[in-house]
Amino acid sequence: MTDAGTAIAIDARGLTRQYAGVTVVRGVDLALPAGSKTALLGSNGAGKTTLLKMLSTLLTPTSGSFSVNGHRAPSAEVARSIGVLGHSPMLYEDFTPLENLQFFARIYGVQDAEPRIRDLLDQVGLWRRRNERTVILSRGYHQRLALCRALIHRPAVLIADEPETGLDPEGIELLDEMALAAPGLTVIAATHRIDHIDAWATGIVRLDRGRVIEDTSSVGLAAPEGAPA
Amino acid sequence: MNVLGAVVAKDLKLAWRNRSGWLSAAAFSTIAVLTYSFAFDLATGDVRPLLPGVIWTTFLFAGVFAAGQSFQDEVDDGTFDALMFSPVGATSVFAGKLVANLIALLIIEFSQLILATILFDVALLTPELLGIVLIGTIGYVSLTTLLATMGGHVRGRSVLLPVLSLPLLIPLLIGAVRATGASLGLEAGTGPWMLLLMVFAVWATLAAVLLFPTAAEQ
């Protein structure tokens, strides 16, 4: 719980990661309140992607630990609680959008997957193209489909690394509406789009050479300007 | 089980959709068997002593052609990461790749045994020989799938896979060639060689299952 009585969604203690003896992320502590939207800022090489990879359980921390909604990572509960949106869309290019979402729905054990898939594809404007091979879709549509993949299992936490990559203004609006500013969803997203964070972020964490130098993630949870009600 | 089934079905469907690697392997092995059949004088000599070598060199290189392809596609598309942060365990990911590679390679091997039976006029589709091929292929695919994972992010990986795998496969090759020879009546009893093959297959599968999560994170 935070001082204001809000539950903590991501609780990280002393996360550190080294590559070949070089410390890329050092002693990061985070306490992100449930429903908060945190913009992860920092220059290239600050350690944003490495930190996000640890939080998404893709990388094991050299030291330190974290939990998601009270479940210590890594675990199946944590895997079901998080959705990940990365640089790469992480989609099967030889599958159709429908097949991609059917596969991810199945491995996440989504009940009543078909209406959920239709709803997501409708929202991102891909229902009409659901049976085309993913490889022929544009970069923007890849990212929209990746958004559907990340949200298919209704995660409590979204971990995103430069999620605006490849999206047109309409796509960025969809991203805000469905994910970054979605009510109830806890978000931590690395971004270089400083002009865009006012639209969704409730706080920031700034990294410099692997250390946290500014953290306002748990300051307040007032609805961001322009966020949907 | 449902998740494992989903991963296996996905790998099989992708292997079919993106089958250029396996088609190259099938084409290579067909050309190899045909070339061997032209090279040996079938009219005057007993070709049976040559067949174990013909069969296993063909299978070995056919597998090396295609074994790393499915894993490489997953790495390139980023879907391997999507599997690793999902609730799917690393063991299920490995099992999916193993089963898909195994089925694809067994289909090629079976078709080559039919072709070799016709061209060399020797009965190769015996239950004993099919058992040897099955066990040998399980050991072979386990090891090459693991090595393809370990070399997934390395430059020159297409060269690295054969260089790494061939020395490790020597016990399997010895066991497979000698057991095949025994099944063709060239030496007495397949027992000891079958045992070597089985021990290798179990060792390779266990090692691959245990090491896969570490290899995947690297």
Side-chain angles (χ1 to χ4, degrees):
Chain A
M1 291 282 180
T2 62
D3 294 344
T6 313
I8 297 295
I10 295 181
D11 187 8
R13 304 283 166 89
L15 284 182
T16 298
R17 175 72 196 198
Q18 296 180 327
Y19 288 109
V22 178
T23 305
V24 180
V25 171
R26 53 188 84 211
V28 168
D29 296 322
L30 292 173
L32 306 186
S36 64
K37 323 287 183 190
T38 304
L40 184 60
L41 306 176
S43 53
N44 291 334
K48 302 186 296 295
T49 296
T50 301
L51 176 60
L52 293 179
K53 280 189 171 178
M54 284 193 281
L55 293 177
S56 57
T57 69
L58 273 178
L59 278 180
T60 305
T62 307
S63 63
S65 63
F66 72 99
S67 61
V68 177
N69 287 345
H71 300 291
R72 198 180 163 91
S75 67
E77 289 81 10
V78 169
R80 284 192 192 89
S81 300
I82 60 173
V84 180
L85 197 53
H87 286 288
S88 147
M90 300 185 237
L91 297 165
Y92 291 101
E93 297 289 337
D94 287 315
F95 275 0
T96 66
L98 188 62
E99 288 171 329
N100 265 297
L101 295 190
Q102 283 171 335
F103 171 68
F104 285 105
R106 203 168 157 198
I107 63 172
Y108 278 95
V110 176
Q111 304 292 320
D112 254 345
E114 292 306 316
R116 173 75 177 154
I117 291 169
R118 175 163 192 154
D119 182 41
L120 285 169
L121 288 176
D122 254 339
Q123 283 189 65
V124 300
L126 271 168
W127 177 250
R128 201 170 46 83
R129 304 186 68 180
R130 66 191 178 280
N131 291 320
E132 294 175 18
R133 291 268 177 108
T134 301
V135 70
I136 67 167
L137 298 178
S138 68
R139 177 74 179 92
Y141 275 123
H142 269 83
Q143 198 64 3
R144 290 181 188 209
L145 184 56
L147 179 61
C148 298
R149 174 194 49 71
L151 299 176
I152 185 76
H153 56 294
R154 299 182 178 87
V157 173
L158 180 74
I159 297 166
D161 194 356
E162 297 183 35
E164 305 96 343
T165 308
L167 288 174
D168 57 12
E170 190 194 342
I172 289 176
E173 253 181 62
L174 275 170
L175 175 71
D176 288 350
E177 186 184 317
M178 293 172 68
L180 296 184
L185 181 66
T186 306
V187 176
I188 177 166
T191 183
H192 290 291
R193 295 276 311 272
I194 306 293
D195 57 321
H196 181 228
I197 62 174
D198 282 346
W200 59 272
T202 56
I204 65 162
V205 168
R206 192 183 301 276
L207 291 181
D208 181 39
R209 281 171 285 181
R211 288 185 197 282
V212 175
I213 56 166
E214 185 180 1
D215 182 354
T216 63
S217 60
S218 54
V219 168
L221 279 179
E225 213 175 297
Chain B
M1 209 58 201
N2 188 33
V3 169
L4 179 60
V7 174
V8 171
K10 177 266 298 176
D11 278 316
L12 285 174
K13 197 185 273 188
L14 286 171
W16 177 248
R17 294 262 171 96
N18 189 9
R19 51 191 175 273
S20 56
W22 290 108
L23 284 176
S24 302
F28 163 80
S29 53
T30 302
I31 291 167
V33 172
L34 277 171
T35 308
Y36 282 127
S37 77
F38 296 142
F40 304 146
D41 186 354
L42 301 178
T44 54
D46 180 6
V47 293
R48 285 181 309 149
L50 303 169
L51 283 179
V54 168
I55 290 169
W56 284 100
T57 51
T58 304
F59 292 172
L60 184 72
F61 288 110
V64 165
F65 249 98
Q69 188 61 46
S70 65
F71 180 77
Q72 201 48 56
D73 290 344
E74 295 249 22
V75 170
D76 292 344
D77 292 344
T79 47
F80 190 70
D81 285 350
L83 289 176
M84 295 312 290
F85 60 64
S86 77
V88 176
T91 308
S92 296
V93 176
F94 175 74
K97 293 266 160 279
L98 180 70
V99 172
N101 284 343
L102 189 62
I103 290 174
L105 191 55
L106 283 174
I107 290 171
I108 291 174
E109 289 173 347
F110 189 69
S111 64
Q112 296 314 312
L113 285 177
I114 294 173
L115 182 66
T117 298
I118 296 166
L119 292 175
F120 296 108
D121 196 22
V122 176
L124 294 173
L125 295 170
T126 60
E128 191 177 34
L129 187 53
L130 291 177
I132 292 166
V133 169
L134 176 66
I135 296 167
T137 307
I138 290 172
Y140 174 56
V141 170
S142 295
L143 198 64
T144 49
T145 304
L146 174 69
L147 293 175
T149 311
M150 292 169 81
H153 292 281
V154 178
R155 264 189 301 174
R157 55 200 166 231
S158 54
V159 177
L160 195 66
L161 180 62
V163 168
L164 276 177
S165 60
L166 292 180
L168 292 171
L169 286 167
I170 285 172
L172 175 131
L173 280 175
I174 293 171
V177 167
R178 299 299 293 268
T180 302
S183 81
L184 293 173
L186 301 172
E187 55 186 280
T190 56
W193 302 114
M194 280 290 272
L195 185 65
L196 175 63
L197 258 188
M198 278 192 267
V199 168
F200 187 92
V202 170
W203 168 80
T205 309
L206 277 179
V209 167
L210 292 173
L211 293 175
F212 185 78
T214 309
E217 184 173 336
Q218 299 308 313

